[in-house]
Structure formats: C-alpha cells, structure tokens
Amino acid sequence: MDTSFQAPPLSIPEYILSSSGRTMPLLGFGTAVSPPVGPQVTKAAILEAIELGYRHFDTASLYGTEQPLGEAIVEAVSVGLIKSREELFITSKLWCSDAHGECVLPALHRSLENLRLEYLDLYLIHWPVSSKHGIYEFPIKQEDFLAMDFKAVWKAMEDCQRLGLTKSIGVSNFSCKKLADILAFSEIPPAVNQVELNPLWQQKKLREFCKANGILLTAYAPLGAQGTIWGSNRVLECEVLKKIAKEKGKSVAQICLRWGFEQGISILVKSFNRERMKSNLEIFNWSLSPDEVRMIDDIPQTRLCCGECYISEYGPFKTINELWDGEI
C-alpha cells in the first residue's frame, strides 16, 4: 500500500494529501440526505457519528446541511466529544451557480459562516459546469446552464487555499480529460476528485490517472446510493458480493467498503442508523483474499449516476458522453 498512508490515534487510517500535506481520514461521513430530513435529525446523527469515532464530514452548499454540521461541531466541543475543531476534517463544495471566478471566494465565506468555522479542510468544485449566478436550485433549469471558465474558477480556488480559508482544494465528478485540463494550468493541483465509485462502477481508468497524478479519489455512493433519486439496490443485491459476504461473515456493505479501502481510495458512507454507522467503521482489521478481489474485479460495470440533470441543449454538455468524456 502507498507509503503516504498512516495510522492515526483513531481507528480510521489517514492519507496525506499531496498538494497540502494535510492528513485526511479515509472513511468519511456524508450529509447529503435524500429525501431531506430536518436539521435537528442531521445534527443528532453527526453528533452520534463523532461519538462513534468519525472525524471526516462531507457537506456542500447545495445539501442544506452546513448549518446543522456547524452546530454539531460547536456542541461536540462543548460537551467534550472532541477537544477542538482541529480534530475534524470538514469538506464542502462550490455549487454550479457560484462556479464563476468572482463568486468563488464569497461562496466559501458563506459556507464558513454556515459552518461557524474559520477554515475548511477541503473545498471542492461540485460539478464541472456553471449555471446562472444567484439561483440555488436542483435540478438546474435547462436554460440556466453555462460553460465553466475553468481557469478563472480554479485560480479563485487556489486563492482560497493561499488565504488559508481552505487547507486543500479539489473537484468532484471530473473525468480524466477534465482533470488533465486543470492540471495543465494549475499552480496548486487538485488534491481530491470525489466521484461515484463502488464494485459495480470501479472507475479503473480514473483510478490509474489519479494515482499517477497524486490525486486522491474519494468514493460517493460506495453502496449504490439506494433511496436517492438516481441510486439503486444493485450494489447491495449483487450476487457476487452477497456470496463473498456470506463466506466471510460480513455484510455486503462491509465488503464494498473494505474493497474500496484496499483500492487506495477514500470512502464516504451515509447512514443515520447507529448500528449501520458502527458496522461501517468495522472494516479495518480484516482483508479480502486475492480470489475475492478477482471476483469483484470481474463484476460487470455500470454507472449509476449518469448526470442526466447536467445535460442541456443550452449548456456545454449536450450528451452524457460529453459530460464524462466517454468514460461511461
């Protein structure tokens, strides 16, 4: 395994991000809930997660969970679950309507205000497309899509890191080609690319590209995002994974998460159920056999999150193929 992996005082291993030297817990807790729940439910789940040992929390301006996450951090410190905010790794994301060079810094300031924080650990461009400024909605109206000025937006992201408002910067839902375009002109390269990744969509080409360029891949939907508008139970119902889980005495979810960890990626889990939150942490003291890894490697591949909501005759991506640059 990569020598930049190291074991922290907690049970969750960490990774040293290449462009900043900051350490990032390789298992994080996602806060995008579909359908949405109330802020008090979100806050209570985050406090429970901190109590169980989670230290990496992922939010976004679009999710509506920055404020309850910020409140949970304040309470966690006040009741002694953690000594200070510095024990946590907090990620948020720039929404498409703020993905304009002059709008990035104000958007980050708003996120920090919502979170009651002085800095983020990681700030990501949520999708590789812009939309009309000032309109915060999902799905985005077809006529509101705009081509992103990648140079202007990335320069503003770099400025955010230089100002210390975020310790690292990165992207989400970027293909190899779009990453290569950023790398061609960036002074601070992306530290992270957060994408859909699971045993049924293994992203082998993207994994190789990111590894070669020192970019950590972070997996969202590691279990298939069942219950979301685009998710599916295909991952958790996969017969190959069920067979491996039964033979090892583990859950299918644990097999998926362990597989991701062994691929050298970071993983975001999203469950507000305490038992599943605990179970998702129990993946670091056992391993998959070479035969089991080969069985998973051979699973037929299908993307779940095709990004249809970002396709528009008015915007830069008229087809799914254009959005992912053929990586479908």
Side-chain angles (χ1 to χ4, degrees):
M1 189 168 283
D2 194 320
T3 55
S4 55
F5 285 84
Q6 62 179 35
L10 294 163
S11 59
I12 299 175
E14 295 184 341
Y15 180 86
I16 302 172
L17 295 173
S18 58
S19 63
S20 66
R22 304 284 291 188
T23 57
M24 172 176 162
L26 284 165
L27 185 67
F29 191 85
T31 64
V33 184
S34 178
V37 297
Q40 289 306 313
V41 175
T42 300
K43 177 185 171 183
I46 292 165
L47 283 167
E48 199 158 37
I50 293 172
E51 183 186 347
L52 289 171
Y54 289 92
R55 293 295 180 266
H56 173 187
F57 292 88
D58 180 271
T59 185
S61 58
L62 182 72
Y63 298 165
T65 56
E66 288 179 330
Q67 287 183 321
L69 174 55
E71 290 170 9
I73 293 168
V74 170
E75 187 165 324
V77 173
S78 70
V79 301
L81 285 176
I82 51 174
K83 290 180 181 175
S84 72
R85 174 263 181 272
E86 280 66 39
E87 292 184 30
L88 302 178
F89 188 101
I90 307 298
T91 299
S92 194
K93 306 180 194 75
L94 177 78
W95 185 235
C96 302
S97 55
D98 286 319
H100 308 273
E102 70 281 6
C103 303
V104 175
L105 188 57
L108 176 52
H109 276 299
R110 282 196 303 276
S111 286
L112 290 172
E113 187 176 336
N114 288 338
L115 286 158
R116 305 189 192 185
L117 297 178
E118 294 182 358
Y119 68 90
L120 292 177
D121 295 281
L122 180 63
Y123 196 40
L124 305 177
I125 299 173
H126 207 150
W127 282 87
V129 64
S130 299
S131 62
K132 285 183 181 176
H133 179 58
I135 302 172
Y136 294 90
E137 61 183 8
F138 180 83
I140 297 167
K141 290 188 183 72
Q142 291 270 306
E143 61 271 21
D144 287 350
F145 280 105
L146 300 164
M148 185 183 294
D149 182 340
F150 286 105
K151 282 190 177 180
V153 172
W154 191 253
K155 182 182 182 302
M157 295 286 285
E158 291 177 331
D159 288 343
C160 290
Q161 180 166 333
R162 290 190 185 102
L163 288 167
L165 297 172
T166 182
K167 301 301 183 182
S168 298
I169 51 177
V171 297
S172 182
N173 299 299
F174 272 53
S175 65
C176 294
K177 181 187 181 301
K178 290 179 178 64
L179 276 174
D181 291 345
I182 296 282
L183 290 169
F185 58 74
S186 62
E187 294 180 16
I188 303 173
V192 167
N193 184 20
Q194 186 183 125
V195 298
E196 177 198 345
L197 203 158
N198 55 61
L200 272 66
W201 188 241
Q202 298 180 19
Q203 299 265 33
K204 290 177 183 177
K205 179 184 176 184
L206 187 61
R207 272 165 37 206
E208 289 172 8
F209 181 90
C210 287
K211 185 176 182 181
N213 288 279
I215 300 168
L216 178 66
L217 264 186
T218 294
Y220 69 72
L223 309 179
Q226 184 176 0
T228 65
I229 55 171
W230 57 266
S232 163
N233 66 351
R234 283 187 299 141
V235 175
L236 292 176
E237 293 299 322
C238 172
E239 290 301 326
V240 172
L241 298 173
K242 286 165 77 172
K243 180 175 185 290
I244 295 170
K246 185 177 180 181
E247 290 175 355
K248 290 193 92 67
K250 304 293 181 183
S251 69
V252 173
Q254 288 173 323
I255 298 298
C256 293
L257 299 177
R258 178 68 201 187
W259 172 83
F261 173 68
E262 291 188 11
Q263 302 313 303
I265 65 172
S266 70
I267 311 154
L268 294 173
V269 292
K270 188 167 53 185
S271 175
F272 286 7
N273 175 286
R274 184 179 176 89
E275 288 310 308
R276 284 199 290 271
M277 287 159 66
K278 284 174 63 179
S279 175
N280 289 340
L281 286 168
E282 294 166 354
I283 63 166
F284 299 114
N285 61 353
W286 54 276
S287 60
L288 295 165
S289 71
D291 283 345
E292 290 163 344
V293 172
R294 276 192 290 273
M295 289 169 66
I296 295 173
D297 281 345
D298 291 339
I299 293 173
Q301 296 295 289
T302 315
R303 183 188 284 278
L304 285 172
C305 183
C306 293
E308 294 99 331
C309 294
Y310 301 91
I311 306 306
S312 167
E313 61 178 303
Y314 305 100
F317 308 124
K318 314 249 180 326
T319 66
I320 290 170
N321 198 56
E322 288 178 1
L323 175 61
W324 302 111
D325 299 299
E327 295 170 25
I328 52 175

